[in-house]
Amino acid sequence: MRVAIVGAGLAGLACAHELERLGVLPEIFEQQQQVGKADWAIEIMAQFMHHSPRHDIFDYLNRDLGLPLHPHSAFDTMILFSPSEHTVLRGKFGYTTIRGKDDRSLERQLAARLASTIHFGSRPDVWELRQEYDWVVVATGDHEWTRSLSRWTPQIEWYMMAAEVTGSFNPLAQTFFLNPRYAGTGYAMIAPIDEGQAIAGVGVPGISRDELEHYWKVFRTEQGHRWQQEVRHFRVDRWRVGQVHPCVIGNVLLVGHAGGFAESLGLSGQCPSLASGVMAARQMILGDRSLERFARQHRAHANRLWRLRRNVNAWTGEEMDYLVRAAHYGGSLVARSPWSVLGPASWALNVLHLADDPSPRVGPQ
């Protein structure tokens, strides 16, 4: 069996790892000259965002998906700030991971275990590959091929800017700022790498590229005292989230971001991307429709997140304060709960009519 994988990101590498475990060596095509983006960053895997909170995320990745991955560290403290409120929550909230060119990154961890050939600096035509290979997996991290192969329904766009900063940090604590002045209806955060380094950034939905500079400047003005020096800057322009259906088109399988395996709250899509790659490999080799079943499960989970996101899109600082006050009394219980709170939270927000207009706010607040 001949399999081509287009993209050496999380989904593509996870697919290759599972294919090798099942006895097939795919060929991988990557447009960059290395595994992992040129910059590196730290991201979070929040346990409460997992589709099955009762199972530890990395146990799920290691045991259920067979992916030999390790997080950067766990975090057990969340510090939340809104315009007029703040609280400190403690519990098993999740993990931080390294992404990009760093040897500790999830991408590099997977690539180090592969025997498959990776063709760097390559951008093949998927329409041509599908004639040459038995299966083609599109794991490009964008929707260039998705739009020509399947039905792509966009939901929301995020703009993000961050900096690696130095200072004094608690590696077990993640700090989130929910403040429309510098995060719109998104969030700003400080994610420690270790005691002396962190990533400070903003993620704002429904704005333009130029407006992102404004939010970043306000964030630095109001919260820059929390770090000492900015070492480097990086940005993600227009990170699009939406739904893809179908994700299997003849002998082509769409995985990762290209397959719609992301989430609209703007926190992390690492776990569903990895899982989609593994399920694609199992569907190709075992013929058990694993990817299609997982896609249905993911769409149901993503729809719950999207209902939450549509409500949050209309929030002001007052609603942000209300959320932080509510988290003060119930946030730590959520961290210990074996059940997902996303469905009930989505339903409650709709009942309370916190969002009369579900469209994102545009422009600086």
Side-chain angles (χ1 to χ4, degrees):
M1 179 182 291
R2 300 192 66 205
V3 179
I5 299 175
V6 184
L10 290 184
L13 294 172
C15 183
H17 184 274
E18 182 68 2
L19 284 171
E20 289 189 10
R21 192 184 70 83
L22 295 172
V24 173
L25 281 179
E27 285 191 74
I28 307 170
F29 300 87
E30 169 56 48
Q31 67 175 348
Q32 298 185 101
Q33 297 296 332
Q34 61 186 4
V35 169
K37 294 181 180 180
D39 286 323
W40 65 273
I42 193 166
E43 295 186 5
I44 68 168
M45 279 192 182
Q47 187 66 34
F48 57 86
M49 291 289 295
H50 188 32
H51 69 273
S52 181
R54 74 186 68 127
H55 297 139
D56 179 90
I57 295 178
F58 273 86
D59 280 351
Y60 169 73
L61 295 176
N62 296 160
R63 184 184 64 247
D64 295 3
L65 300 184
L67 298 174
L69 294 171
H70 305 283
H72 176 56
S73 68
F75 67 95
D76 59 13
T77 302
M78 287 181 62
I79 306 169
L80 304 180
F81 288 90
S82 62
S84 302
E85 302 284 343
H86 79 276
T87 189
V88 177
L89 309 176
R90 303 190 188 279
K92 185 179 179 181
F93 289 109
Y95 300 92
T96 59
T97 61
I98 301 293
R99 300 292 308 279
K101 66 177 183 179
D102 191 281
D103 287 339
R104 299 167 294 176
S105 73
L106 297 183
E107 295 95 329
R108 295 291 178 94
Q109 289 183 47
L110 283 172
R113 293 179 173 269
L114 294 180
S116 302
T117 299
I118 303 179
H119 302 282
F120 292 108
S122 176
R123 299 187 64 180
D125 186 300
V126 171
W127 293 102
E128 294 178 1
L129 289 179
R130 67 188 306 185
Q131 304 301 319
E132 184 179 349
Y133 290 83
D134 298 301
W135 293 98
V136 179
V137 179
V138 177
T140 53
D142 57 36
H143 304 104
E144 177 184 356
W145 288 106
T146 303
R147 288 192 291 268
S148 65
L149 290 162
S150 184
R151 186 168 67 252
W152 155 245
T153 305
Q155 293 178 325
I156 195 168
E157 296 179 352
W158 286 80
Y159 280 82
M160 302 179 184
M161 179 173 285
E164 180 185 348
V165 298
T166 61
S168 179
F169 308 103
N170 176 4
L172 300 181
Q174 302 294 315
T175 303
F176 289 88
F177 303 88
L178 308 176
N179 193 316
R181 287 197 304 277
Y182 47 79
T185 59
Y187 62 91
M189 71 178 299
I190 298 175
I193 303 167
D194 51 38
E195 289 85 353
Q197 293 177 293
I199 300 294
V202 296
V204 190
I207 63 170
S208 69
R209 174 175 179 160
D210 292 338
E211 288 169 323
L212 180 62
E213 297 280 355
H214 167 84
Y215 285 105
W216 171 249
K217 289 178 181 177
V218 176
F219 177 54
R220 290 171 65 192
T221 298
E222 298 197 17
Q223 302 297 337
H225 63 278
R226 299 180 184 277
W227 60 84
Q228 296 173 356
Q229 184 179 2
E230 295 175 14
V231 178
R232 64 184 174 98
H233 295 84
F234 49 95
R235 62 189 298 159
V236 178
D237 290 337
R238 203 168 67 168
W239 185 64
R240 291 179 169 181
V241 177
Q243 292 207 0
V244 176
H245 185 74
C247 61
V248 179
I249 309 95
N251 67 336
V252 178
L253 298 90
L254 304 174
V255 299
H257 199 48
F261 295 96
E263 54 84 9
S264 56
L265 292 186
L267 288 174
S268 175
Q270 297 171 93
C271 190
S273 285
L274 290 163
S276 69
V278 171
M279 297 306 171
R282 293 176 182 176
Q283 175 151 338
M284 286 183 284
I285 304 305
L286 304 177
D288 60 358
R289 305 177 73 89
S290 294
L291 180 61
E292 291 166 291
R293 290 200 305 271
F294 178 71
R296 287 194 296 270
Q297 180 188 52
H298 173 77
R299 279 195 293 270
H301 181 64
N303 281 334
R304 290 192 289 270
L305 297 180
W306 174 233
R307 286 194 294 270
L308 280 173
R309 180 68 253 174
R310 285 191 304 171
N311 280 287
V312 174
N313 281 341
W315 281 14
T316 65
E318 184 177 352
E319 282 86 10
M320 302 293 186
D321 285 338
Y322 178 84
L323 175 64
V324 172
R325 285 197 298 270
H328 176 75
Y329 294 103
S332 295
L333 293 176
V334 170
R336 294 192 293 269
S337 173
W339 310 105
S340 174
V341 299
L342 297 174
S346 174
W347 175 85
L349 287 177
N350 282 310
V351 169
L352 291 172
H353 301 289
L354 290 181
D356 295 325
D357 179 6
S359 61
R361 291 191 171 150
V362 177
Q365 305 293 316

